[in-house]
Amino acid sequence: MRLGVLDIGSNTGHLLVVDAHGGAAPLPAYSYKQPLRLAEHLDEHGAVTQRGIDALTTFTAAALGVAEDKGCAEMLSFATSAVRDAVNSDAVLEHVREQTGVTIDVLAGEDEARLTFLAVRRWFGWSAGRLAVFDIGGGSLELAGGTDEGPDVAWSLPLGAARLASTYFTDADHAPGEDVIRDLRKRIRASIAQDAGHLIRAGACDKAVATSKTFRSLARICGAAPSGDGPLVRRTLPLEELSRWVPKLVGMSRRELSGLPGVSADRAHQIVPGAFVAEACMDIFDLPELEICPWALREGVILERLDQMSVRIR
């Protein structure tokens, strides 16, 4: 069965076309994506601007055409933090539905964490034991832990790399001052530590895992293998190496950051706040390293949909 998964993230709109059936790993067949940067298209009241609405509508219409051209029998559409937190989210999604015919569901932060956890569990399997999973998105940070396919604990915090960058890293040519950096670091660590007991009280994890673009970029900066080496290569983000890099990243211009391995020009300004969040997660939960998982939220959405369908579908 061919499925299309339309992921409206805080940074990017991404349609992933997969060939999937029960009992098998989803096989990517085609990918179509565009930078939307919805987390940065919010006005002073927290509403998605007309420019953001137009970009989302145009992308959704194009993605629907791609899904039809590629023979998708079904398209699963969802939006995450930027749309979820926007004060006009209902109006935005209604506009998209009226213009394109596509209904986009809004995922709660806890569901983001839960579905990402499911993808990580399926990737590593039962032998991984108790998992702790961290996902830095554009608008939010998701955390989850557990021993089963569903996490024992799962929650979301407004600590996405794009969200923080739009607040603290507005100057393309100069890094924020020391006071701003200190304030950002304090805010991140206080937010994560506030509910850290949810994960800690459940017991030590056997494997700590990170997913999604920000963690992959940081791991690449710290020496992990490039994506071209394939998804089966083991990649990690060591805390010691990351902590050596953080002061250097803070002092780099956006152009210098975009020249680092694994960093795209349109996300270069998000690397420093993303690094602060990653370092805080590892410090607070006493994790010497995080292993990078190539599966994340989109795969979790696909896997849950397949679980809901008969495993006889071929």
Side-chain angles (χ1 to χ4, degrees):
M1 181 179 187
R2 179 158 283 195
L3 295 173
V5 182
L6 182 62
D7 176 359
I8 304 302
S10 299
N11 278 308
T12 305
H14 190 173
L15 172 70
L16 179 65
V17 176
V18 298
D19 291 318
H21 63 266
L27 180 65
Y30 190 79
S31 175
Y32 171 72
K33 56 186 176 180
Q34 292 289 335
L36 299 179
R37 300 178 77 163
L38 294 178
E40 299 173 28
H41 286 305
L42 299 174
D43 64 21
E44 65 273 18
H45 304 295
V48 180
T49 64
Q50 190 60 51
R51 181 179 178 185
I53 295 171
D54 292 342
L56 173 57
T57 304
T58 300
F59 172 77
T60 301
L64 177 61
V66 171
E68 292 174 350
D69 289 344
K70 297 301 178 182
C72 293
E74 182 178 351
M75 189 163 78
L76 310 174
S77 306
F78 64 90
T80 56
S81 177
V83 174
R84 178 173 68 236
D85 296 339
V87 298
N88 61 338
S89 60
D90 290 343
V92 170
L93 296 179
E94 179 60 21
H95 176 83
V96 172
R97 188 192 65 77
E98 289 177 351
Q99 295 297 314
T100 69
V102 176
T103 298
I104 300 174
D105 295 325
V106 176
L107 284 181
E110 183 176 330
D111 286 334
E112 275 195 66
R114 176 181 60 81
L115 290 166
T116 301
F117 184 91
L118 171 62
V120 172
R121 170 59 72 192
R122 293 282 178 90
W123 179 267
F124 286 111
W126 296 110
S127 64
R130 181 172 184 80
L131 292 171
V133 177
F134 304 87
D135 181 348
I136 302 172
S140 59
L141 164 70
E142 276 66 54
L143 308 91
T147 57
D148 297 327
E149 289 208 327
D152 301 330
V153 293
W155 74 102
S156 178
L157 296 169
L159 297 177
R163 184 191 296 268
L164 297 175
S166 66
T167 303
Y168 291 89
F169 290 77
T170 55
D171 190 331
D173 299 318
H174 300 93
E178 291 184 6
D179 290 346
V180 175
I181 291 293
R182 188 180 301 111
D183 179 61
L184 172 59
R185 188 175 184 274
K186 180 180 177 180
R187 170 188 168 186
I188 290 169
R189 289 176 178 252
S191 296
I192 295 172
Q194 181 175 354
D195 294 318
H198 293 337
L199 193 60
I200 294 171
R201 278 193 294 270
C205 65
D206 298 299
K207 186 183 287 291
V209 180
T211 73
S212 298
K213 178 66 174 178
T214 296
F215 274 119
R216 291 198 304 270
S217 296
L218 292 170
R220 184 75 181 95
I221 290 170
C222 292
S227 58
D229 287 0
L232 300 183
V233 174
R234 185 175 187 269
R235 296 173 174 87
T236 64
L237 176 62
L239 175 58
E240 184 177 354
E241 186 66 18
L242 177 62
S243 295
R244 279 199 291 263
W245 265 99
V246 166
K248 292 187 284 187
L249 296 175
V250 170
M252 289 183 176
S253 67
R254 190 173 299 186
R255 181 176 180 180
E256 290 171 328
L257 289 169
S258 65
L260 294 172
V263 180
S264 58
D266 63 327
R267 294 200 188 200
H269 63 303
Q270 300 177 23
I271 283 297
V272 174
F276 284 155
V277 174
E279 185 182 38
C281 288
M282 298 170 79
D283 268 346
I284 289 168
F285 293 102
D286 194 23
L287 301 169
E289 71 173 19
L290 295 171
E291 185 164 354
I292 306 300
C293 180
W295 280 5
L297 177 59
R298 280 186 293 274
E299 287 77 14
V301 170
I302 295 166
L303 292 166
E304 182 172 71
R305 179 62 180 131
L306 291 176
D307 288 349
Q308 294 167 350
M309 299 164 67
S310 169
V311 295
R312 293 190 298 272
I313 293 177
R314 292 293 186 268

